[in-house]
Amino acid sequence: MLVGIDLGTTNSAVAVWRDGRPELIPNAVGELLTPSAVSVGDDGALLVGIAARERQATHPGLSAAIFKRRMGTAEEVRLGKRSYRPEELSAMVLRSLKADAEAFLGAPVTGAVITVPAYFNDRQRKATRRAGELAGLNVERLINEPTAAALAYGIHELEEERPFLVFDLGGGTFDVSLVEIFDGVIEVRASAGDNRLGGEDFNAAIVALARDALGEALKAKPAETAMLDEVLRAAAERTRRALSESDSAPFQIVWKGEALACDITAAAFEERAQPLVDRLRDPVLRALRDGNVRADTLSEIVMVGGATRMPLVRRAVTRMFGRFPNARINPDHAIALGAAVQAGLKSRDAALKEIRLTDVCPFTLGVDTAHRDASGKVTTGLFAPIIERNTVIPTSRSEVFSPMEAHQQVVTFGIYQGESRFVAQNVKLGQLDVPLPKDHRGLIGIDVRFTYDVSGLLEIDVEVPGTGTRRQLVIRDEEDRESEADFAKRRQLLEALKVHPRDQAANAATLARANQLFENRLGHERQVVGEWIAHFEGVMARQDPREIETARAELEKAIDAMDGEQYL
Ligand code: AMP
């Protein structure tokens, strides 16, 4: 049996595709959401979910939560006698969801589709996959949370092909994605976000207000601060939820045997949280800009993540777009439901239309370079992107680089992933040394090609044209369990991508027709055809197959019109 799992920062959920629709599975205590929390019980046993969340305030040193924020790092969390890696803690949550699903379904759960923020980088994705495997799950696929949300909202059943925007504010992460369906293919066109912004930050705003109001009474010895912080956080969470329903709510704690309380008004909260609300705007703009989509052409604005229940967030979204967002599905359930739709798709349930999912590369991949300015000053450690974030994958792109020095014998390319202009702030994935011929006098181009596929296989091909020198590096998931044969097959599929679009038969034929027309015409017409060719070459240089296809069709039409060779 295959299930869909939303492994959230604060809460997780599991769902299954049954009787032609996705259905959430309740946990052992009958709840549809399981807190992503782990704690060591007094008897040394591990507790997961609500029991662990409850112990957070009383036993902070024995409990862990919000560990999704550490995924992909080596930061361990100490729980009693042992330290745990973030993926081990996530594995415990997954194991508990698996057990709940098995009890509910009365059948073993063997595989899962697990969701990750679109913004997660390679390491974070690998860590998530490892968490699934540690929990005894065959991770069929990791899908982006917005893709899952889009499936829950039935994007694949829409008549219209206008994109929609998924606005996902969870406990710890904020994601904005443009999801589009095109000829039966669903696609994340662009995604942007802030993986350090979520409901927890709004809790901090409430805690700040409470500290102002309660002042001296909240003094704690250094050994007690962790416990006090957790007590305050838990109270803030209750207050904040209550503020989603009313204009004022009590903030209540018991600290050192003393009951302390104050009232927090929605107005004060809104004022204090304004800097957080302001941070919602930038990723929205970035996603629209990256996807080249104007807000008024969106078909839906979909709200996901529990924190979108906050009225101040809904108001901000309504103001931003000048219309109301869609929150038809419970924002805490949408992603797990969508993961189950994908799981259903995987098991080829007849109730679903056949759709293929494509993904985008959520981060930029490139190499390090140096730059010499007019005065001769050299700046090293600059990041030169090759595959830009939000490129539809699988993809293959190349760039040409030149050596810095006239007598340089070797060029070393560091392979990086990230968005910073400086490689030091990006993640290093590997390195490739390329020997250069003698006496190139710096007048040599080095072709660097990156090919990247959906499962995170990155292939780097470096070639020094005319010298026969070629170096290759494959960076792949160390945890990849697939057989060598599958691996070879996938690499073979990638091979087909590597032909530069200009060399692909259909594009070459269209270009030849255009060039012939150019030769046959004079004056203004010749100039116009020249512009068409330049435009088409520009599109091919961007190496986006879909854009090329559209441009080629347009060019063919234009040539037909000028040539008078219409076949109709
Ligand atoms: P997620 O990471 O999607 O599970 O989102 C959980 C976040 O949603 C937490 O920060 C919760 O505080 C927040 N949340 C859930 N319900 C509400 C509510 N009624 N009002 C405000 N925030 C909520």
Side-chain angles (χ1 to χ4, degrees):
M1 198 88 189
L2 205 57
V3 294
I5 295 178
D6 168 11
L7 185 59
T9 312
T10 339
N11 292 303
S12 294
V14 54
V16 65
W17 181 262
R18 258 205 330 197
D19 304 328
R21 58 182 201 91
E23 183 183 349
L24 279 162
I25 296 176
N27 61 21
V29 291
E31 302 281 343
L32 297 176
L33 297 180
T34 298
S36 307
V38 176
S39 184
V40 182
D42 297 331
D43 56 357
L46 279 168
L47 301 168
V48 174
I50 189 76
R53 166 71 46 85
E54 294 293 313
R55 282 172 65 84
Q56 210 77 36
T58 49
H59 301 79
L62 291 175
S63 312
I66 326 183
F67 34 83
K68 183 172 172 180
R69 281 190 176 183
R70 296 175 196 242
M71 285 294 260
T73 72
E75 289 171 40
E76 299 200 339
V77 180
R78 188 154 196 93
L79 294 188
K81 293 199 190 88
R82 240 202 85 182
S83 290
Y84 296 87
R85 292 176 67 96
E87 60 264 39
E88 290 181 291
L89 297 168
S90 296
M92 294 176 207
V93 175
L94 290 171
R95 211 165 50 201
S96 150
L97 296 173
K98 178 175 184 267
D100 290 334
E102 286 176 341
F104 180 80
L105 298 166
V109 168
T110 48
V113 170
I114 303 178
T115 59
V116 289
Y119 223 58
F120 255 22
N121 65 25
D122 206 34
R123 283 199 190 152
Q124 292 165 306
R125 281 166 198 261
K126 274 184 194 162
T128 307
R129 187 173 278 277
R130 216 151 40 225
E133 287 166 359
L134 287 171
L137 287 166
N138 183 13
V139 183
E140 293 282 338
R141 191 169 168 160
L142 296 178
I143 64 167
N144 290 328
E145 288 164 5
T147 302
L151 287 170
Y153 271 88
I155 190 173
H156 52 297
E157 285 154 2
L158 290 181
E159 291 285 305
E160 268 184 316
E161 291 199 333
R162 286 193 348 222
F164 71 65
L165 185 136
V166 180
F167 185 101
D168 179 355
L169 188 64
T173 52
F174 174 46
D175 279 298
V176 184
S177 307
L178 286 169
V179 183
E180 192 175 63
I181 190 146
F182 184 82
D183 272 350
V185 178
I186 184 172
E187 182 174 285
V188 179
R189 191 83 189 129
S191 59
D194 188 335
N195 55 11
R196 299 251 160 203
L197 179 63
E200 291 302 329
D201 301 284
F202 288 83
N203 283 344
I206 300 258
V207 168
L209 289 171
R211 279 188 187 274
D212 287 352
L214 299 173
E216 285 298 299
L218 292 179
K219 279 251 155 21
K221 294 192 191 104
E224 297 163 344
T225 51
M227 189 184 284
L228 176 61
D229 284 351
E230 184 42 40
V231 169
L232 291 171
R233 194 203 69 81
E237 176 74 27
R238 285 189 294 274
T239 306
R240 193 164 57 80
R241 286 179 187 233
L243 283 175
S244 292
E245 312 297 329
S246 70
D247 291 340
S248 172
F251 178 94
Q252 298 162 314
I253 59 165
V254 176
W255 181 240
K256 294 187 175 174
E258 201 186 338
L260 301 169
C262 63
D263 276 330
I264 307 272
T265 65
F269 173 46
E270 192 151 347
E271 196 187 327
R272 197 63 166 232
Q274 193 55 44
L276 299 173
V277 172
D278 290 343
R279 281 167 63 191
L280 297 171
R281 194 180 169 81
D282 199 46
V284 169
L285 283 178
R286 194 142 41 96
L288 291 171
R289 213 181 303 126
D290 282 358
N292 197 17
V293 166
R294 278 182 26 177
D296 56 4
T297 63
L298 293 170
S299 89
E300 291 276 13
I301 297 137
V302 167
M303 302 292 266
V304 193
T308 58
R309 285 212 184 79
M310 286 187 283
L312 76 173
V313 170
R314 294 205 174 174
R315 267 201 303 278
V317 173
T318 307
R319 255 197 319 269
M320 237 184 276
F321 293 97
R323 61 174 142 155
F324 291 105
N326 189 341
R328 178 169 54 83
I329 300 177
N330 183 326
D332 293 315
H333 298 169
I335 291 172
L337 290 171
V341 173
Q342 165 71 359
L345 205 78
K346 270 258 162 195
S347 43
R348 300 198 166 269
D349 191 297
L352 265 178
K353 246 200 282 175
E354 256 293 306
I355 59 171
R356 205 180 81 222
L357 292 169
T358 61
D359 266 304
V360 292
C361 178
F363 35 72
T364 302
L365 295 163
V367 295
D368 57 345
T369 54
H371 174 72
R372 182 181 282 128
D373 68 15
S375 68
K377 187 171 159 278
V378 175
T379 313
T380 57
L382 293 173
F383 184 51
I386 295 185
I387 296 179
E388 302 262 18
R389 88 168 176 270
N390 287 330
T391 300
V392 175
I393 50 180
T395 185
S396 183
R397 301 213 170 163
S398 66
E399 290 288 336
V400 177
F401 297 91
S402 308
M404 284 297 286
E405 309 297 338
H407 302 291
Q408 196 171 334
Q409 286 304 290
V410 176
V411 182
T412 302
F413 288 102
I415 319 296
Y416 290 86
Q417 142 189 323
E419 306 307 323
S420 169
R421 209 160 72 79
F422 302 100
V423 291
Q425 278 146 42
N426 293 331
V427 179
K428 186 163 186 180
L429 300 175
Q431 183 170 307
L432 200 59
D433 291 328
V434 184
L436 297 179
K438 285 197 174 67
D439 301 331
H440 54 72
R441 298 198 301 277
L443 304 170
I444 196 165
I446 306 161
D447 206 9
V448 180
R449 173 169 287 282
F450 274 34
T451 308
Y452 189 72
D453 83 355
V454 194
S455 61
L457 180 79
L458 172 66
E459 202 175 289
I460 299 112
D461 250 307
V462 180
E463 204 181 336
V464 189
T467 64
T469 302
R470 194 166 171 209
R471 290 289 182 276
Q472 252 195 345
L473 177 68
V474 176
I475 297 170
R476 70 158 159 159
D477 199 332
E478 313 120 30
E479 297 293 313
D480 227 345
R481 293 275 164 84
E482 70 189 329
S483 69
E484 282 305 311
D486 282 349
F487 181 59
K489 202 164 78 199
R490 229 172 52 206
R491 282 194 66 186
Q492 214 172 17
L493 280 178
L494 291 185
E495 278 303 312
L497 277 173
K498 288 187 197 167
V499 186
H500 191 285
R502 120 175 60 72
D503 301 326
Q504 279 163 2
N507 297 334
T510 304
L511 257 189
R513 272 193 79 198
N515 279 316
Q516 204 166 31
L517 192 63
F518 183 90
E519 284 172 26
N520 292 343
R521 302 293 158 130
L522 290 172
H524 176 66
E525 279 188 336
R526 171 173 266 199
Q527 194 188 334
V528 169
V529 178
E531 280 162 14
W532 292 348
I533 295 174
H535 171 73
F536 187 50
E537 281 179 334
V539 171
M540 280 191 295
R542 289 200 288 278
Q543 303 176 40
D544 175 346
R546 237 171 60 185
E547 200 192 346
I548 293 172
E549 210 174 297
T550 312
R552 190 178 65 232
E554 279 168 7
L555 179 56
E556 282 283 342
K557 221 163 95 188
I559 297 173
D560 284 347
M562 191 181 275
D563 225 9
E565 276 182 13
Q566 311 246 21
Y567 293 101
L568 287 174

